[in-house]
Amino acid sequence: MHIQVQNLCKTFGANRVLDGVTLDFAPGKITVVLGGSGTGKSVLLKHLVGILQPDSGTVLVDGRDISQLKERELLPIRMRIGLLFQGGALLNSLNVEQNVGLGLREHGLYPEKEVRRIVQEKLTLMGLSDKGREMPANLSGGMRKRVALARTLTMNPEAILYDEPTAGLDPPRSGRVDALIREMSEKTKVTSVLVTHDMVSAFGLADYIYFLYRGKVIEAGTPDEFRQTKNEIVQRFINRDPAG
Amino acid sequence: MLLFRPIHALFYSLFLKSGQVVALFFQTLAELGSLSRHWASTFKFMLQFGLYTLPLATLIGFFVGMVTALQTGMELKKLGLTDLMVGPLVGISLMREMGPVITAVIVTGRVGAAMTAEIGTMVVTEEVDVLRSLGIHPVGFLVVPRFFAAMLMVPALTVYSILAGIWGGAMVATNYLNVSSAIYYDKLFSAIKRIDIESGMCKTFVFAAIISIVCCYCGLSTTRGAEGVGRSTMSAVVISLSSILIADYFMTRFVGIG
Ligand SMILES: Nc1ncnc2c1ncn2[C@@H]1O[C@H](COP(=O)(O)OP(=O)(O)O)[C@@H](O)[C@H]1O
Ligand SMILES: [Mg+2]
């Protein structure tokens, strides 16, 4: 799946969050969007599935502009794109098993027995096979994220958008998440969009990187190009310079 | 200026939002098909609207019936019409006005406000966005079960609180107004016409729709931030109650003064 963003602008009240950004998420590749906290990375991802609508600009999914579609028309497109929310948002009134099976059950894609099998398979893949009956409130942040990922995988998406998947995880766990993202990308040829400010993940995984700053893309390139960047803001970010 | 602002703001938001509320109503009708996947949650909301509200509806219905009997009974005594009139007055006023309106008010406060808070919290914690990202229509998932449960249970609850009110009226009539209960019930049931029942029931369905749609609408339009859920809960109660009373007037006016 090919996702393109052209001249996207989004303002909340007086807060201009995205100020004409143009990005291209190549099919089957891992594209990383870097940027400090509050630069609109999550807002950008929500535009890619039509949860937010832009003030101006377009979002093209396989060449089709989705930015003006109605809720009903967006549903089939959203089924093909997995969005992993930053907080690993789960429905708090449902247990883990119900959360993971939510999409499959709502869309009635498979008989109940098959749904159970798929859910269990994805939970096992995430190392959560014994957590099916837990309520989300009793899970740690990292587990919630893994449950959310299991839920996304049940839908066999053609693109997965990860919103800071390693934030708040310890380094070994972050490494495991990175390995998983790479494995998903290699095995299923899924288009991956990774929003993060974790430089290790970014440089380790990216085929291509965009740097977001004050609502604009101020640098774009391969990881090698980024390491040799002349842009001071980007350099400071990469080197964790407090002045950045 | 400051004094006028709340009123002005209320009317402004009333006009602005009423169009969106109507739109949500039609969306809900369009998504009714999704009900077949949500029987479990529909049943949960039916319990909330019905069973859990029953004690409150009994209590309040009972006292409304008592007050009506007491108030009218004392006037009728002066005219010597107590025997003839207290039953019909209690019965008809409960059936046409008090029963539907009082039940709607109870349900708004007891169930509607909680519904708004629940949906509003789901908006703030991004749970609604999660639904949408999975290709699930939030109206089908959140509004339809609540709407359907309200349409079934609010009328049932209304019938129940009317009966409680008639019973409360009987208590006052027999113990305080010296009307035998046989005469009270006899006059009451022979005075009630079909139009009274129809007009009361017609109202209660409209109120059920107003409560469920308005409260879901306010929940779904919750904004981020700490005060978001509190504010939408308040507007849910305000908008729901005012719409109920306004709708009540026009229905009394136009749906058969029989
Ligand atoms: N639904 C919303 N309503 C109003 N403001 C929002 C909304 N979503 C995000 N914002 C604002 O947009 C800015 C960027 O937010 P976000 O995309 O979450 O940043 P991040 O890059 O850390 O993910 C923040 O200032 C935030 O307050
Ligand atoms: Mg974010």
Side-chain angles (χ1 to χ4, degrees), chain A residues 32 34 198-206 209 222-224 226-227 238:
Chain A
V32 169
L34 277 176
D198 179 340
M199 301 309 302
V200 182
S201 301
F203 283 126
L205 291 172
I209 305 178
T222 62
D224 286 334
F226 254 76
R227 285 193 189 92
I238 295 174

Side-chain angles (χ1 to χ4, degrees), chain A residues 90-237:
Chain A
L90 304 175
L91 295 202
N92 285 307
S93 57
L94 304 180
N95 69 23
V96 167
E97 201 273 343
Q98 290 164 329
N99 260 292
V100 175
L102 185 63
L104 294 178
R105 293 202 172 99
E106 282 296 316
H107 297 299
L109 298 176
Y110 302 101
E112 175 61 21
K113 219 173 119 200
E114 182 68 2
V115 170
R116 288 214 184 127
R117 193 191 62 73
I118 297 173
V119 168
Q120 200 52 43
E121 174 192 308
K122 302 303 178 197
L123 280 176
T124 310
L125 182 69
M126 293 294 130
L128 294 163
S129 51
D130 55 338
K131 297 280 189 248
R133 298 198 166 276
E134 294 275 350
M135 294 308 282
N138 304 330
L139 301 180
S140 69
M143 280 188 203
R144 295 172 65 96
K145 284 190 173 172
R146 280 185 281 158
V147 175
L149 185 53
R151 179 174 61 198
T152 303
L153 296 184
T154 61
M155 303 291 289
N156 282 326
E158 296 163 47
I160 306 184
L161 321 176
Y162 304 88
D163 197 346
E164 304 197 14
T166 56
L169 299 187
D170 56 34
R173 271 184 220 275
S174 300
R176 250 174 278 160
V177 170
D178 285 355
L180 200 90
I181 294 173
R182 182 194 302 284
E183 195 188 314
M184 285 300 303
S185 169
E186 282 167 0
K187 255 209 280 196
T188 61
K189 292 281 162 248
V190 66
T191 304
S192 307
V193 178
L194 174 62
V195 152
T196 188
H197 46 216
D198 179 340
M199 301 309 302
V200 182
S201 301
F203 283 126
L205 291 172
D207 292 308
Y208 202 78
I209 305 178
Y210 290 95
F211 193 95
L212 217 55
Y213 182 76
R214 298 211 174 143
K216 292 199 186 291
V217 174
I218 58 164
E219 184 81 327
T222 62
D224 286 334
E225 287 165 358
F226 254 76
R227 285 193 189 92
Q228 289 148 24
T229 181
K230 298 273 185 299
N231 189 316
E232 275 184 39
I233 298 167
V234 181
Q235 276 177 352
R236 282 200 222 113
F237 191 89

